[in-house]
Amino acid sequence: METDELAARIRAGERRALARAITLIESGRADHRAQAQALLDALAATPGSALRIGLSGTPGVGKSTFVESFGTMLTGQGHKVAVLAVDPSSARSGGSILGDKTRMERLSRDPAAFIRPSPSQSALGGVARRTREAVTLCEAAGFDIVLIETVGVGQSETMVAEMTDLFILLMAPGGGDELQGVKRGIMEMADLILVNKADGDLKPAAERTRADYAGALKLLRRRPQDPDGFPKAICVSALQEAGLAEAWREMQALAAWRRETGHFDARRAEQARYWFAEEVRRGLLARLDHDAAMRTRMARMGDAVAAGEIPVARAAAEMLALLGTAP
């Protein structure tokens, strides 16, 4: 399919064309990368204005159940919701079972929703290699809310905050010790902490956990992009769909305040700068992977370092000099 035709179909909201375009941008083939860039250039004239929401949490906390219940609530209010669900990949094969879409059976049948599972492959940060470009495609297709579900919580998972407007952290009841587990890095990124599974016998534990997190958030340094009372912790039950409306009101209030005060656009600009630098870094690494002479030199340097013939720092400096990036 020609680039112009594919772009036109995406603007028309064709789900099959959108799925095909995401497959194209996720491809590592050189010819596909060229086509993907041409497609993104063609869609650049229609910038999206979707609210981008990142969602992270420990495995088993109920992210998929929350996304399905939350997404169904949003489509019921007239929104068009795109879900980019990133699954952890095998370190050996790079494959993934991509089970998130299977769990979201009800949302996957919703005509106002689009779910795209992708393997994280070798990418860090809890997102797939081209998740940010997939967000651009979803916005061009007319989706006004894009949910990015990451693979889990960790120090490297904070990259999702660099491509979203709101970063939501989903936690489980009885997680007093999890304050230590998630560390300050992930806590400082969160705009809203949702304690899930606040139902049945777990409801009292969820309330205590919410209070623990609320107290911990007050100890963090105040961020300029937050109004009074943010970030905050709320109890929700994705299974019983309780607390979802309150969580959505808080997200809307925070996004509206940031738009009014200029923080929203400033953050988008910072993110664009970040991803420009990231693409340059990835391009330099790609040269090492795809240039035969560079691979040979890397292997030779690696052997010398392993044999103790040259210090690691000096070997790295020589390789960077070859790439023309020596400081």
Side-chain angles (χ1 to χ4, degrees):
M1 189 182 301
E2 293 294 332
T3 299
D4 292 341
E5 181 184 356
L6 184 57
R9 291 188 176 186
I10 291 173
R11 291 193 195 97
E14 291 189 19
R15 298 156 67 95
R16 183 172 296 181
L18 176 58
R20 184 170 182 174
I22 294 177
T23 299
L24 179 66
I25 66 171
E26 290 179 345
S27 173
R29 284 176 39 176
D31 57 334
H32 287 174
R33 285 306 307 154
Q35 293 174 35
Q37 189 57 59
L39 176 63
L40 292 170
D41 290 343
L43 294 172
T46 55
S49 57
L51 181 63
R52 307 167 186 172
I53 302 175
L55 179 70
S56 191
T58 52
V61 76
K63 292 191 298 293
S64 297
T65 305
F66 174 82
V67 169
E68 179 169 55
S69 297
F70 186 62
T72 302
M73 181 193 73
L74 293 176
T75 58
Q77 296 176 3
H79 294 287
K80 292 188 65 179
V81 180
V83 179
L84 302 176
V86 185
D87 276 355
S89 302
S90 167
R92 293 185 176 181
S93 67
S96 171
I97 63 171
L98 304 179
D100 284 323
K101 188 171 184 177
T102 304
R103 295 191 187 100
M104 303 178 198
E105 184 178 356
R106 180 165 47 119
L107 187 61
S108 64
R109 297 196 302 265
D110 193 322
F114 173 82
I115 303 176
R116 173 69 183 211
S118 299
S120 60
Q121 297 177 328
S122 60
L124 292 177
V127 293
R129 176 73 169 82
R130 297 292 175 181
T131 299
R132 185 174 182 272
E133 294 175 354
V135 171
T136 300
L137 295 178
C138 291
E139 290 181 332
F143 291 94
D144 60 329
I145 298 175
V146 180
L147 299 176
I148 304 174
E149 179 195 345
T150 70
V151 298
V153 171
Q155 289 297 95
S156 66
E157 300 292 323
T158 56
M159 189 180 291
V160 70
E162 295 295 341
M163 64 176 68
T164 55
D165 304 312
L166 302 176
F167 182 48
I168 312 302
L169 190 57
L170 206 63
M171 304 303 293
D177 289 340
E178 290 183 65
L179 285 174
Q180 174 63 22
V182 297
K183 305 295 184 184
R184 285 179 63 92
I186 197 75
M187 289 285 290
E188 290 171 339
M189 291 288 182
D191 295 310
L192 200 63
I193 293 180
L194 303 181
V195 182
N196 194 24
K197 303 184 179 181
D199 48 56
D201 295 338
L202 289 176
K203 190 168 185 178
E207 291 290 349
R208 290 193 298 269
T209 301
R210 186 209 64 78
D212 289 340
Y213 283 126
L217 290 172
K218 292 179 181 178
L219 299 177
L220 299 179
R221 181 178 299 175
R222 175 75 180 274
R223 304 181 306 184
Q225 69 268 30
D226 293 331
D228 291 337
F230 282 91
K232 60 177 63 177
I234 300 174
C235 282
V236 299
S237 170
L239 188 63
Q240 297 183 351
E241 301 184 3
L244 301 184
E246 179 188 359
W248 175 231
R249 285 194 298 271
E250 297 290 356
M251 294 180 205
Q252 288 178 299
L254 179 58
W257 185 87
R258 287 179 175 174
R259 283 191 173 97
E260 292 171 1
T261 56
H263 289 292
F264 194 93
D265 291 336
R267 182 60 181 152
R268 287 274 181 103
E270 290 175 8
Q271 290 174 346
R273 184 186 297 273
Y274 171 88
W275 286 105
F276 159 71
E278 185 66 18
E279 282 298 315
V280 172
R281 284 191 289 267
R282 288 176 176 178
L284 291 175
L285 290 175
R287 286 185 59 187
L288 293 176
D289 291 335
H290 300 131
D291 188 296
M294 286 294 182
R295 286 201 307 271
T296 301
R297 186 59 181 267
M298 277 285 289
R300 191 180 306 128
M301 284 288 195
D303 292 340
V305 168
E309 298 172 359
I310 183 173
V312 171
R314 182 182 298 174
E318 290 186 17
M319 287 304 304
L320 290 173
L322 288 174
L323 288 170
T325 59

